[in-house]
Amino acid sequence: MRWINTRPSQGAQLALTLLPFVLLIVAYTFGSAARLAENANDKLLPGFAGFAEAIDRLVFVADPRTGEYLLWSDTGASLVRLFAGLGISTITALVIGMLIGMLPYMRALLSPFVAVISMVPPLALLPILFIAMGLGEASKITLIVIGVAPTMIRDLALKALELPREQIVKAETLGGSSWQIGLRVVLPQVLPRLITCLRLQLGPAWLFLIAAEAISSDSGLGYRIFLVRRYLSMDIIFPYVVWITLLAVVMNYILDRIRIAVFPWSELEKQA
């Protein structure tokens, strides 16, 4: 029997899925208990009671200065920026990616430029964006677009280029124009990849958002994490990191469900 040919049962797969998370929690529990035994006021690895108290304060108690519930107000501010950046990136990537993949002249014009732009470290441009666009929302959203859109464009262009040439020839034989071929042949096959590409860019998008909020902002999840770090408030930082991760996981799951619901054939293609 070869390991490469074995498949875990549903129960074993669930256990294996949960095992790393359980081990991480157990390791943290022992580490926290050891540090708190030496110093009851230790802030580096607070106990779960400290987490519960901090979460209760952030979620259910209004801030006396602003009257806002901090976790929810920070989440709302960050999600607005994130969705704006991802929305602009998605539309830009779809249009430019299809043009590069379909039209040789556009490929010659834009493909090298997009390839070079995708190699620029987006965080290195952050000071330039703040100088050119100010410290407001525009610079933060632009950073997400610069960091995410070029990679998405290249991915969608490659997907369009991979389509069988026979499909294009058949569409031309039936009298289809370039516009009709793009809408009826290329677009339906590119859209599932667009959703998958968007899922893959959720992590980088969060990274650029938090970096921008950490440097210049007065609200947001990244802003809050870097604000309390000076006080070593790990009881706030850890829950915020877990919350950001949970939001990203939920967004990833929703996008995948949308792909399967709207393009069920893409799941069969993936399994094949």
Side-chain angles (χ1 to χ4, degrees), residues 118-172:
S118 67
M119 301 301 173
V120 178
L123 293 181
L125 299 177
L126 191 54
I128 299 175
L129 293 177
F130 283 151
I131 294 172
M133 307 180 70
L135 303 178
E137 301 300 306
S139 57
K140 302 178 182 65
I141 295 172
T142 301
L143 178 66
I144 297 174
V145 174
I146 293 175
V148 169
T151 302
M152 295 180 67
I153 291 172
R154 298 182 70 186
D155 198 348
L156 295 181
L158 289 174
K159 178 61 178 178
L161 283 169
E162 290 173 357
L163 297 181
R165 181 61 185 173
E166 292 79 5
Q167 295 182 4
I168 307 299
V169 173
K170 289 179 180 179
E172 291 175 337

Side-chain angles (χ1 to χ4, degrees), residues 217-239:
S217 187
D218 57 3
S219 63
L221 298 170
Y223 160 77
R224 191 67 55 189
I225 289 174
F226 280 83
L227 176 67
V228 302
R229 85 188 192 284
R230 67 188 68 174
Y231 309 112
L232 301 179
S233 300
M234 303 300 286
D235 56 340
I236 296 177
I237 294 175
F238 278 146

Side-chain angles (χ1 to χ4, degrees), residues 90-91 93-99 101-102 156 159-161 163 167-168 178-195 262-263 265-266:
T90 300
I91 296 173
L94 181 61
V95 174
I96 299 179
M98 285 184 59
L99 290 175
M102 289 178 54
L156 295 181
K159 178 61 178 178
L161 283 169
L163 297 181
Q167 295 182 4
I168 307 299
S178 297
W179 179 259
Q180 291 173 323
I181 292 172
L183 289 180
R184 298 186 180 184
V185 178
V186 179
L187 181 61
Q189 299 184 76
V190 167
L191 284 178
R193 182 61 194 175
L194 174 64
I195 297 177
V262 180
F263 309 103
W265 52 266
S266 67

Side-chain angles (χ1 to χ4, degrees), residues 2-245:
R2 294 182 175 87
W3 284 97
I4 196 172
N5 295 323
T6 59
R7 295 289 185 274
S9 63
Q10 290 186 350
Q13 184 171 349
L14 177 61
L16 290 171
T17 300
L18 296 177
L19 181 60
F21 298 99
V22 173
L23 292 177
L24 181 62
I25 293 174
V26 171
Y28 181 88
T29 301
F30 279 103
S32 175
R35 292 188 66 90
L36 291 175
E38 296 180 2
N39 179 11
N41 296 320
D42 182 74
K43 293 184 176 183
L44 184 61
L45 296 178
F48 290 104
F51 286 140
E53 180 182 349
I55 292 172
D56 178 74
R57 185 171 68 253
L58 294 167
V59 175
F60 301 109
V61 178
D63 182 66
R65 184 174 61 86
T66 63
E68 297 178 337
Y69 298 88
L70 293 181
L71 181 66
W72 304 123
S73 62
D74 289 337
T75 301
S78 291
L79 288 181
V80 168
R81 296 165 185 147
L82 183 72
F83 290 155
L86 288 176
I88 296 172
S89 299
T90 300
I91 296 173
T92 303
L94 181 61
V95 174
I96 299 179
M98 285 184 59
L99 290 175
I100 292 175
M102 289 178 54
L103 306 178
Y105 274 93
M106 296 302 294
R107 187 155 56 249
L109 174 66
L110 295 177
S111 184
F113 177 75
V114 172
V116 171
I117 293 298
S118 67
M119 301 301 173
V120 178
L123 293 181
L125 299 177
L126 191 54
I128 299 175
L129 293 177
F130 283 151
I131 294 172
M133 307 180 70
L135 303 178
E137 301 300 306
S139 57
K140 302 178 182 65
I141 295 172
T142 301
L143 178 66
I144 297 174
V145 174
I146 293 175
V148 169
T151 302
M152 295 180 67
I153 291 172
R154 298 182 70 186
D155 198 348
L156 295 181
L158 289 174
K159 178 61 178 178
L161 283 169
E162 290 173 357
L163 297 181
R165 181 61 185 173
E166 292 79 5
Q167 295 182 4
I168 307 299
V169 173
K170 289 179 180 179
E172 291 175 337
T173 302
L174 295 173
S177 64
S178 297
W179 179 259
Q180 291 173 323
I181 292 172
L183 289 180
R184 298 186 180 184
V185 178
V186 179
L187 181 61
Q189 299 184 76
V190 167
L191 284 178
R193 182 61 194 175
L194 174 64
I195 297 177
T196 300
C197 188
L198 184 58
R199 290 172 57 203
L200 294 174
Q201 292 302 313
L202 286 177
W206 275 106
L207 169 64
F208 301 135
L209 171 65
I210 292 172
E213 289 181 341
I215 295 176
S216 175
S217 187
D218 57 3
S219 63
L221 298 170
Y223 160 77
R224 191 67 55 189
I225 289 174
F226 280 83
L227 176 67
V228 302
R229 85 188 192 284
R230 67 188 68 174
Y231 309 112
L232 301 179
S233 300
M234 303 300 286
D235 56 340
I236 296 177
I237 294 175
F238 278 146
Y240 263 64
V241 172
V242 172
W243 178 241
I244 292 171
T245 304

